[in-house]
Amino acid sequence: MPSQGVDMQDVAKIKPEYPSAFYGLVEEAIEAVLLYPADGDSGGPFWDERGELDLVRGKDWDEEDVGIVPLGGDCYRLAERLMGPFSGLRLYWGDEFTADQTDEGALRITSVVVPRRYVHFRFLASKFNNDHPLAKHLHAMGGGWETVATGMLTLTVPAEHGAEFQRLMYEEGLAPGVITLEV
């Protein structure tokens, strides 16, 4: 099972130019096809508090090209949703899951590792970079950010800093976007 903190081997891989150790966790990704149960409207997968898939809500199986980091055995870390804004996947970079390999070489998700190591905040934002005050807090907490399609911003922070980070965004007025997509 994946560790519930930053693995020292992962930290050793961090490039000096990275502002946070988080980016090293997704660096050595490979491309794969991920099969997951979806509900047709809001994607999938959906899971319970133990990480077991909700196959009642996600009746149909969908597939998506992703970047993943193999963690050993049947465990993986999501590094990238290659469909960008068209992704129906409810997992984000840094999220870990288990999957079985199909005869065709695709990965069929079997569970989600919970508790999730990271919390994710998504916004529509016109401008965000490493000089933004919130980016500095994010990196100091061991998180990372990415933009897709020049405006869909995902901020990812270790779960133990989620409440503090959310406070910084809303109580101190540092939220980066005009529209919150997901918290």
Side-chain angles (χ1 to χ4, degrees):
M1 201 48 110
S3 64
Q4 292 301 311
V6 175
D7 186 306
M8 293 313 291
Q9 288 179 326
D10 291 331
V11 172
K13 295 178 185 176
I14 304 305
K15 290 186 175 182
E17 67 268 18
Y18 287 165
S20 165
F22 175 79
Y23 299 103
L25 299 177
V26 296
E27 181 180 67
E28 297 189 23
I30 58 173
E31 289 188 22
V33 174
L34 183 64
L35 304 171
Y36 59 93
D39 71 357
D41 291 328
S42 55
F46 298 92
W47 58 90
D48 64 19
E49 66 278 350
R50 293 183 312 268
E52 295 174 8
L53 300 179
D54 181 346
L55 298 177
V56 172
R57 184 169 181 186
K59 299 175 195 162
D60 299 318
W61 286 81
D62 203 350
E63 69 177 53
E64 195 166 312
D65 293 332
V66 295
I68 57 158
V69 177
L71 300 175
D74 61 352
C75 295
Y76 302 89
R77 178 180 299 124
L78 187 71
E80 186 175 4
R81 300 176 339 168
L82 297 174
M83 290 181 65
F86 304 105
S87 174
L89 194 58
R90 295 187 66 241
L91 297 172
Y92 299 96
W93 64 333
D95 287 341
E96 296 174 0
F97 60 92
T98 60
D100 293 329
Q101 192 164 15
T102 68
D103 292 339
E104 294 80 29
L107 295 175
R108 185 178 180 102
I109 193 167
T110 56
S111 68
V112 175
V113 175
V114 293
R116 288 164 83 178
R117 291 175 61 186
Y118 298 96
V119 290
H120 312 280
F121 303 91
R122 298 184 62 225
F123 299 91
L124 284 181
S126 60
K127 186 177 182 184
F128 194 83
N129 60 39
N130 285 340
D131 293 327
H132 190 286
L134 192 59
K136 293 178 182 198
H137 288 292
L138 178 74
H139 291 143
M141 293 177 185
W145 65 272
E146 71 173 341
T147 57
V148 176
T150 318
M152 295 182 77
L153 174 67
T154 301
L155 305 173
T156 299
V157 65
E160 63 267 18
H161 298 297
E164 177 186 359
F165 189 72
Q166 193 165 10
R167 183 190 62 74
L168 286 167
M169 284 193 296
Y170 297 112
E171 290 178 17
E172 297 191 21
L174 296 178
V178 293
I179 299 175
T180 302
L181 297 175
E182 185 177 357
V183 173

